[in-house]
Amino acid sequence: MKVVLSVISAAAIVVAGAGVSEAGIGFRATGGLSHISYGDFNDWVDEVNYLLAGSSEYSDIKWVPEIGGEFYYSIVPMFEIGLGGGMIMGKSDYSISAGDISTSFEHKVKGFPINANIYFKPNIPFASMKPYVFIGGGTYYTKLNFEVYSNYGGEQKRTSELSSWGWGIHGGGGLEFSIIPSLSLDLGVKIRWASIDGFKGTTTDLSGKTYDVYLLKGVDPDTHLPVFGPGDEDEKKIYDEGKVDLTGYTIYIGFKAGF
């Protein structure tokens, strides 16, 4: 009798666990590591590092942390819809000094996606682990910061902030592991396509003067050196428009709680 009761109890726990993903309303939080393209910036870094010939190197922005959260609602047992947002963060810096001469560079990129998702979860009875796939899209508010300092031939410093909105789509899949009836663990992969352009902002120099700038890329016609970063209206006529390509993939872990 005790053996029968133990089997029944174990089965009840598994069935209850399988019901985690069927909760009507809930919240999902994720965190992970993303690999993004950011081709314009990373291409510039490669070219500059080549010219430096290994004496010192700028760092690229490829692997970056990403966090997210969304509220979800189960339409039917195998389908969910979700609405939420997140943040993607990346940073590159460089500094060198020799005697009284020094120069430094810092660049930060932050993306704030606002997305809607549709999830499909095949019905697997009596399983505490459930696979799922999803597809979604939304808008991305992206913010860039540049800080350049040099005291070679006179002290100079420029601080720039630019931003833009763009669109993107994504999809992926994962596994959902039940912990308790109202909580589960997510492991998954997301693939994203999102390229943002139209960046505008301002630059402030050492004297406090502020002027409008745009994100530009190209090759300096006089020095033949690669260019990427904020440029004014006159430079906009010389160089191409720069972009922030967030296309790539994310490996994430998360928790899902039903209400």
Side-chain angles (χ1 to χ4, degrees), residues 219-225 238-239:
V219 177
D220 189 303
D222 297 321
T223 64
H224 304 291
L225 295 175
I238 302 172
Y239 301 111

Side-chain angles (χ1 to χ4, degrees), residues 66-113:
E66 179 175 355
I67 58 174
E70 69 172 1
F71 288 96
Y72 70 85
Y73 174 71
S74 296
I75 309 173
V76 293
M78 290 192 294
F79 284 93
E80 289 176 358
I81 56 174
L83 180 63
M87 180 167 66
I88 306 165
M89 304 159 283
K91 178 182 176 181
S92 172
D93 52 28
Y94 170 89
S95 63
I96 188 171
S97 60
D100 296 331
I101 299 173
S102 64
T103 181
S104 64
F105 167 86
E106 182 180 86
H107 171 45
K108 296 178 182 178
V109 55
K110 292 183 180 180
F112 301 90

